[in-house]
Amino acid sequence: MPKVKEKSSSGRFASQQRQSIVFNKDLGQHILKNPLVIDNMIEKAALRPTDVVLEIGPGTGNMTVKILPNVKKLVVCEIDIRLVGELEKRVQGTPYKSKLDILIGDALVTKFPFFDVCLANIPYQISSPLVFKLLAHRPYFRCAILMFQREFAQRMVAKPGDKLYCRLSVNTQLLSRVDIIMKVSKNNFKPPPKVESSVVRIEPINPPPAIDLKEWDGMLRLAFLRKNKTIGAIFHQKSVLELMETNYKVYCSLKNIKIEDKFDIKEKIESILNESGFADSRARTMDIDSFLTLLCAFNSKGFHFVK
């Protein structure tokens, strides 16, 4: 079997026989093979010599070997032990080996260390939870350059009224500035995925809004149950009313607030929505400020949300 020789810009990384590896599609292993795409992603990251970089899912190291010469330290997180072995071979005997720190495990449960920049070709099935894990990471990182399935990337940047506008759009844009910076054809991967991809740049907003993010997301889950329905119609549903009543009674119990004898949850919710002016609004057209105002209207009357 012929050897495939891949070098960094310094030309000091060893050639390896990697064609025998069978990639695991269940783990989302679609290896980015086009060096021009890799170069563009690294360029967009604007790396500094003092940076600590986190790379998620390095695969066989095509991006890894190009990052190493440009940074102080590179931490990679890889779940497949076979690919970890390939990665170790590529840096063996190079001056960059001491810069590389390998974390073996699932990126969703592995604790990430401090990092300035994140670069990743993310397995599509973990895109959403991984984005919010990164946005919850402290201390804050400077930016992340991430590869996603194109429709997922489009949902991240969608605006009110767009067809793809959803809970992901609102949550992502609440916590970060996000832009699509590159489109990538499926032919740039081995094996090629069934969908096209896009590269997104994420810059966390620091400090974040002073709200309870679990409660915020709980409200969004309800609002986007049927994003084309009015908020009033959604909060008239029996299951939603029961949830809101349970949450309200728990809140009153914790605060030693006496619940009035003729308490009517439906009447209370209608009053809040009418007073705030959102009864006839629809989630698909509401912007972040509108959702923040709606949350404040509920909270001011003692109504809270949980996941």
Side-chain angles (χ1 to χ4, degrees), residues 30-65:
H30 299 280
I31 306 301
L32 183 58
K33 64 181 183 179
N34 188 334
L36 293 179
V37 175
I38 294 171
D39 290 344
N40 284 337
M41 289 181 68
I42 294 174
E43 181 183 353
K44 297 295 185 183
L47 299 178
R48 304 168 185 171
T50 55
D51 278 342
V52 175
V53 174
L54 172 68
E55 184 185 5
I56 301 169
T60 55
N62 292 344
M63 183 180 292
T64 308
V65 297

Side-chain angles (χ1 to χ4, degrees), residues 231-242:
I231 298 297
I234 289 172
F235 278 87
H236 276 162
Q237 295 179 64
K238 183 180 178 181
S239 60
V240 175
L241 288 172
E242 289 175 349

Side-chain angles (χ1 to χ4, degrees), residues 47 50-56 71-77 101 103 107 110-120 130-146 202-204:
L47 299 178
T50 55
D51 278 342
V52 175
V53 174
L54 172 68
E55 184 185 5
I56 301 169
V71 299
K72 178 181 178 181
K73 182 180 180 181
L74 174 59
V75 180
V76 300
C77 183
D101 185 6
L103 303 177
T110 300
K111 184 177 180 180
F112 297 149
F114 164 84
F115 62 93
D116 298 290
V117 175
C118 178
L119 280 153
L130 190 54
V131 165
F132 291 108
K133 178 178 180 178
L134 289 173
L135 289 175
H137 183 79
R138 300 294 182 270
Y140 287 93
F141 56 92
R142 189 168 72 247
C143 75
I145 307 296
L146 309 173
I202 296 176
E203 182 182 340

Side-chain angles (χ1 to χ4, degrees), residues 274-287:
N274 288 329
E275 287 179 13
S276 62
F278 290 107
D280 295 325
S281 299
R282 302 172 197 273
R284 64 178 175 82
T285 62
M286 293 173 63
D287 60 16

